[in-house]
Amino acid sequence: MNLRKLFRSEAASGYLLLSPTAIFSIVVMAAPLIAVVLFSFMTAGYLKIIWTPTLANYVTLLDQPIYVTLMMRSLIVAAVATAATVFSALPIAYFISFFVPPERKSLWLFLITIPFWTSYLIRVFLWKVILGYNGVINSAFLGLGIIHEPMTFLLYNANAVVITLAHAYAPFAILPIFVSLEKIDRSLLEAGQDLGESRFMTFIRVTLPLAVPGVVASVLIVFIPTVGDYVTPTLVGGNNGQMVANLIENSYFKLGNYPLGSAISVSAMGIVTVICLIFLFLNRRFLRSRS
Amino acid sequence: MNKGRGFRVYAFVYLAFLYAPIVLLPIFAFNDATIVSFPLTGFTTKWFVQMWNNAALGDAVRNSLIVAVSVSILATTLGVFAARATTRYRFPGQAGLLGMIMLPLVLPDIIIAVSLLVTILQLGISLTLKTIILGHTLIATPFTIAILNSAFQSLDRSLEEAAYDLGETKASTFRLIIMPLVMPGIISSLLIAFSISLDEYIIASFLGGTDNTLPLYIFSLFRFANQVPTVMALGTILAVLSVVLLTIAEYFRRRGIARAGGKDTGGFL
């Protein structure tokens, strides 16, 4: 009788209902992530894995400059791309939240999400067309007589990666900021102005602090996947724009060294996690005041 | 409205930036030149004909459709369970479990690809379309939960209780009362999961073995300059298709919210 009651309780029903999704997530995500961590301590033998735990892979990562260089570059490119994406997204989110009439807001959000759903590969490739030697920008500037020979600094470097990523992740940055702006009680802003603050100072002292949770969310949601992006650095990065995902792919498929590839993946995940935690810690004041 | 003018100008410039690549797509798909660059040389539809006659492309499309349809059904089913569980019941550890399920939203795809590859090979399972389906379902599920959560949240609890009082069981209430009310959310979740899977490259390339999906095929074509206009033609069709799918998804999402009497908060995320 007691068991039956327990089975019918609210918590039990909840667990039971959530279990298919939770079990799927444990089997297909959590367990494989643990496997990668284990793998990173193994050694690649000839056609098989040597099951003796060792730190050799991590020593290799620190020893050979290429790994440190590409990891640093990935972090810097992702940080710059994130800053570019979020700063360009802020005014858009602000515009939609504060200046667009309520009945038109969905339309604007829809307009922003459409490009995001067209093939990522083809979008990235089209940036190659825009930025390339015979590309849209070069031919336009040549035609207008602004430049006399095509600019070569546009494509196949970190700049191209930043522009392409800022384009690809735009909706991920706009939507969280928009949501946090929508939550702001508009009477707070009126109060700020009634108390003698200018419109600009009201923005700085009221709107911005209240929007921080959204900005923090969009920074994280853009930064984390961009560090590990593969398609963009491969297509528009050139030799000096390769990032950590290329390194991982290379050690898995070209070198066939799974433990080394796993060690790169684990290090990348660890470093990104630490950076995100530091970032959250630095913003703790704004995040706490909301909840 | 004057004070918003600066923002309005910026918004249109920003939209131009967002749409720049997509506008170029049809231009080059109909341009009569192998090299994708300006100036344009003339109008042609031969790239579409070439695309139509391409057998390898047909295979890739077929594989992608198999994967995407399976993923949309699996991810939406998992999404329904999770969304129903978290909107209807309160239980300890809920936030943590949901956090774990939503993690693929921020986990780089290559990490998911690598970890699944290692595990699958270690278990001795061979790489086929099925393994791609597993990976894609994992990344699509958080999106389906986000959509379905809003559909389930706007449900009126008293409708369900009325059904119980009238003698319906839990299962029949779900089928007769809840399902019809959240149906628009389910349709839009199916379409979103479908689009995510159809577009995904890196997981498919790690887990696909010898099976090609559409993005893998497109990526391989980029290496051959003379194939690029065909990709543009294909891209044009895909773009039109996804705009149509999204418009349908958006229509159902809004109708769902309207039907349940909720307020539209906009957006898929």
Side-chain angles (χ1 to χ4, degrees):
Chain A
M1 186 64 200
N2 243 348
L3 204 67
R4 206 164 150 184
K5 210 167 153 190
L6 183 77
F7 194 69
R8 290 239 169 132
S9 79
E10 168 140 342
S13 310
Y15 286 125
L16 201 65
L17 210 49
L18 190 61
S19 61
T21 319
I23 290 169
F24 179 82
S25 167
I26 289 169
V27 173
V28 180
M29 183 187 68
L33 284 178
I34 293 168
V36 166
V37 175
L38 288 178
F39 248 77
S40 71
F41 294 108
M42 303 304 157
T43 320
Y46 179 70
L47 290 179
K48 62 175 198 290
I49 304 294
I50 298 163
W51 296 98
T52 323
T54 164
L55 284 171
N57 295 315
Y58 291 97
V59 174
T60 309
L61 294 189
L62 289 174
D63 260 8
Q64 295 186 11
I66 172 102
Y67 296 112
V68 179
T69 311
L70 257 74
M71 191 65 230
M72 282 307 290
R73 184 193 294 153
S74 298
L75 294 174
I76 292 167
V77 168
V80 174
T82 306
T85 314
V86 173
F87 277 117
S88 62
L90 254 170
I92 286 291
Y94 189 75
F95 169 73
I96 299 174
S97 181
F98 282 80
F99 295 115
V100 173
E103 69 277 7
R104 300 277 294 279
K105 283 181 183 174
S106 308
L107 177 69
W108 270 91
L109 294 176
F110 190 53
L111 280 177
I112 282 164
T113 35
I114 284 180
F116 168 67
W117 294 108
T118 53
S119 169
Y120 180 48
L121 274 175
I122 292 177
R123 260 186 300 149
V124 174
F125 184 81
L126 284 162
W127 278 107
K128 230 168 120 163
V129 175
I130 294 174
L131 302 171
Y133 192 79
N134 290 319
V136 177
I137 293 181
N138 273 327
S139 47
F141 278 35
L142 278 173
L144 291 171
I146 298 171
I147 52 172
H148 297 290
E149 52 187 77
M151 299 174 279
T152 52
F153 61 87
L154 293 171
L155 189 62
Y156 298 130
N157 52 35
N159 297 337
V161 177
V162 169
I163 295 174
T164 310
L165 288 174
H167 182 264
Y169 285 88
F172 281 119
I174 296 172
L175 292 177
I177 301 175
F178 170 76
V179 169
S180 71
L181 287 174
E182 281 292 278
K183 281 188 194 150
I184 295 176
D185 186 350
R186 298 299 194 262
S187 60
L188 289 176
L189 306 183
E190 279 168 34
Q193 288 181 19
D194 288 348
L195 292 169
E197 292 282 25
S198 69
R199 195 178 286 146
F200 179 72
M201 282 312 286
T202 315
F203 176 80
I204 297 291
R205 293 180 59 170
V206 182
T207 315
L208 211 54
L210 290 173
V212 166
V215 176
V216 168
S218 64
V219 165
L220 295 182
I221 218 167
V222 175
F223 179 73
I224 301 171
T226 47
V227 175
D229 197 90
Y230 173 81
V231 171
T232 299
T234 309
L235 284 179
V236 302
N239 285 333
N240 291 321
Q242 301 287 294
M243 288 174 35
V244 72
N246 303 97
L247 214 52
I248 296 174
E249 201 252 6
N250 192 56
S251 41
Y252 271 89
F253 287 145
K254 302 229 171 63
L255 304 177
N257 191 339
Y258 284 21
L260 185 65
S262 303
I264 303 171
S265 310
V266 172
S267 324
M269 264 192 299
I271 293 168
V272 168
T273 309
V274 170
I275 291 175
C276 291
L277 290 178
I278 293 173
F279 182 72
L280 283 174
F281 181 75
L282 292 176
N283 285 291
R284 66 194 181 285
R285 196 163 66 88
F286 301 105
L287 298 176
R288 194 182 302 146
S289 63
R290 284 286 283 189
S291 58
Chain B
M1 215 60 240
N2 193 22
K3 60 180 178 170
R5 186 171 291 164
F7 281 107
R8 186 169 291 272
V9 171
Y10 178 82
F12 282 104
V13 172
Y14 193 84
L15 278 187
F17 164 69
L18 283 186
Y19 280 84
I22 291 131
V23 171
L24 291 174
L25 207 48
I27 295 179
F28 289 114
F30 290 109
N31 182 32
D32 192 7
T34 320
I35 299 164
V36 174
S37 72
F38 283 102
L40 302 174
T41 47
F43 182 85
T44 179
T45 51
K46 70 177 175 195
W47 307 123
F48 287 89
V49 178
Q50 225 176 67
M51 184 195 83
W52 189 253
N53 295 327
N54 190 329
L57 175 65
D59 280 349
V61 168
R62 198 179 47 93
N63 284 343
S64 266
L65 285 179
I66 293 172
V67 172
V69 168
S70 318
V71 168
S72 70
I73 295 169
L74 283 172
T76 302
T77 310
L78 292 173
V80 166
F81 278 115
R84 175 73 176 153
T86 49
T87 52
R88 175 67 175 75
Y89 302 101
R90 290 278 154 266
F91 47 94
Q94 187 176 9
L97 281 172
L98 194 65
M100 177 188 72
I101 294 168
M102 298 301 264
L103 190 63
L105 210 53
V106 289
L107 211 55
D109 287 352
I110 191 154
I111 300 287
I112 291 173
V114 163
S115 61
L116 269 172
L117 178 76
V118 166
T119 313
I120 286 169
L121 290 183
Q122 213 53 44
L123 293 172
I125 301 167
S126 55
L127 298 170
T128 57
L129 293 180
K130 288 192 191 100
T131 44
I132 303 181
I133 293 172
L134 270 187
H136 282 183
T137 304
L138 185 66
I139 57 163
T141 302
F143 287 89
T144 68
I145 295 175
I147 295 166
L148 291 165
N149 254 342
S150 65
F152 278 101
Q153 231 148 30
S154 44
L155 273 182
D156 189 348
R157 186 85 165 256
S158 55
L159 291 176
E160 194 186 323
E161 275 154 15
Y164 293 147
D165 291 346
L166 292 170
E168 294 291 346
T169 63
K170 256 187 175 170
S172 64
T173 306
F174 190 80
R175 192 168 51 83
L176 293 169
I177 309 294
I178 298 169
M179 273 296 267
L181 284 172
V182 295
M183 207 51 191
I186 289 178
I187 292 173
S188 102
S189 145
L190 284 171
L191 292 174
I192 296 300
F194 181 86
S195 314
I196 291 171
S197 167
L198 198 64
D199 195 29
E200 205 286 331
Y201 171 78
I202 192 74
I203 292 177
S205 90
F206 269 71
L207 303 181
T210 52
D211 288 333
N212 241 354
T213 63
L214 193 54
L216 295 180
Y217 182 69
I218 291 174
F219 200 86
S220 72
L221 285 188
F222 285 153
R223 276 179 293 157
F224 308 104
N226 61 339
Q227 291 289 340
V228 169
T230 321
V231 179
M232 297 295 119
L234 176 65
T236 308
I237 291 176
L238 284 177
V240 171
L241 205 71
S242 56
V243 169
V244 170
L245 281 185
L246 280 173
T247 313
I248 298 172
E250 174 72 6
Y251 170 77
F252 277 109
R253 193 186 62 80
R254 283 194 199 174
R255 209 175 73 170
I257 291 168
R259 191 188 281 184
K263 190 173 148 284
D264 191 2
T265 46
F268 289 116
L269 295 174

